[in-house]
Amino acid sequence: MSWTKHTVILKKCKDAQQHQFYILATKKFSWTKDVLTNHIENNTYEKYLLNQTNFEDVLPESVKKQAYLAVKDNYTFDFLNLAEKHSESDLEESLIKNIHEFLLEMGSEFTFVGNQYKVLVDKREYKIDLLLYHRKLQSLIAIDLKIGEFGPERNGKMEFYLSVLNDKVRLPHENPAIGIIICKSKNRTIVE
């Protein structure tokens, strides 16, 4: 990416998360300087955030803005060096082996709680792929790993996990749990 594009981003964007969004989008879509400028001026970043989460409905006003900044839409796991064909358990195992790099990619305020985190509901055991904690948001972060495309059934499973975490694991001073579904790809209309 050219220095000119970096300069546009630095001049027009307010925070590091916004910088990261436009850098990744510019690289991914090969935006020219003018196209990049147009996206920044049309608030593409803000519009994108509004359509990716249910934070507006579930989080208290005091942490909504922080939550939007804490969760990215695209994560790069190049450090895993996984084969083209791999299983979800291979992905999870590799993330655990590279936990430091994984947490850096997620963001500076995330801490690791556990993998295959067990929760009991009516004497049945369920396992959350990864459980993190976000220090600023004071929220548990459930992560569901999928190697394929996002599907609506994934959201239902995540909602179940979040309900269980909020009812059985969350401490009284903590905010509601947040879910992140990591998939290889997604159809924007289905996600929304």
Side-chain angles (χ1 to χ4, degrees):
M1 200 169 106
S2 71
W3 177 247
T4 307
K5 293 174 191 172
H6 280 288
T7 306
V8 169
I9 291 169
L10 290 171
K11 284 182 182 175
K12 295 186 175 278
C13 298
K14 303 171 205 119
D15 60 66
Q17 197 71 29
Q18 195 176 18
H19 293 172
Q20 181 77 2
F21 172 84
Y22 285 111
I23 289 169
L24 291 173
T26 300
K27 287 166 69 175
K28 183 176 182 179
F29 302 110
S30 301
W31 289 344
T32 64
K33 178 186 153 240
D34 292 336
V35 171
L36 169 64
T37 303
N38 186 45
H39 278 287
I40 294 171
E41 290 172 356
N42 285 317
N43 298 315
T44 300
Y45 172 71
E46 290 79 2
K47 291 173 187 172
Y48 195 76
L49 290 178
L50 290 173
N51 289 326
Q52 290 297 304
T53 69
N54 65 348
F55 294 165
E56 206 50 50
D57 300 327
V58 299
L59 291 179
E61 199 63 45
S62 60
V63 295
K64 277 183 195 171
K65 288 182 181 175
Q66 287 178 325
Y68 283 123
L69 296 175
V71 178
K72 299 191 287 187
D73 185 54
N74 288 309
Y75 295 95
T76 304
F77 297 136
D78 293 342
F79 57 87
L80 298 179
N81 296 321
L82 287 169
E84 184 62 34
K85 293 218 175 210
H86 58 272
S87 68
E88 288 170 6
S89 60
D90 292 338
L91 174 59
E92 180 182 332
E93 186 179 310
S94 190
L95 287 172
I96 298 305
K97 284 181 182 172
N98 295 282
I99 193 69
H100 183 271
E101 290 84 359
F102 172 59
L103 290 175
L104 287 174
E105 178 62 21
M106 293 301 292
S108 63
E109 297 294 329
F110 285 91
T111 58
F112 180 71
V113 176
N115 65 308
Q116 293 302 306
Y117 189 87
K118 295 174 187 168
V119 291
L120 249 79
V121 177
D122 204 22
K123 298 181 183 175
R124 288 186 66 185
E125 187 177 271
Y126 297 90
K127 295 178 183 175
I128 300 171
D129 291 340
L130 299 171
L131 187 62
L132 305 180
Y133 185 79
H134 195 279
R135 294 177 58 224
K136 265 190 184 166
L137 297 176
Q138 294 188 348
S139 293
L140 291 163
I141 311 291
I143 298 184
D144 195 24
L145 300 170
K146 298 298 173 200
I147 57 172
E149 185 174 30
F150 175 84
E153 68 280 0
R154 308 209 192 293
N155 189 51
K157 183 179 175 186
M158 180 56 76
E159 291 296 330
F160 171 75
Y161 288 154
L162 296 179
S163 293
V164 173
L165 288 172
N166 287 332
D167 291 344
K168 299 184 177 280
V169 181
R170 179 174 67 133
L171 298 175
H173 72 280
E174 294 175 336
N175 290 306
I178 295 171
I180 298 175
I181 302 169
I182 296 179
C183 298
K184 186 171 186 171
S185 61
K186 67 181 184 292
N187 176 301
R188 186 138 187 92
T189 305
I190 291 172
V191 170
E192 289 175 11

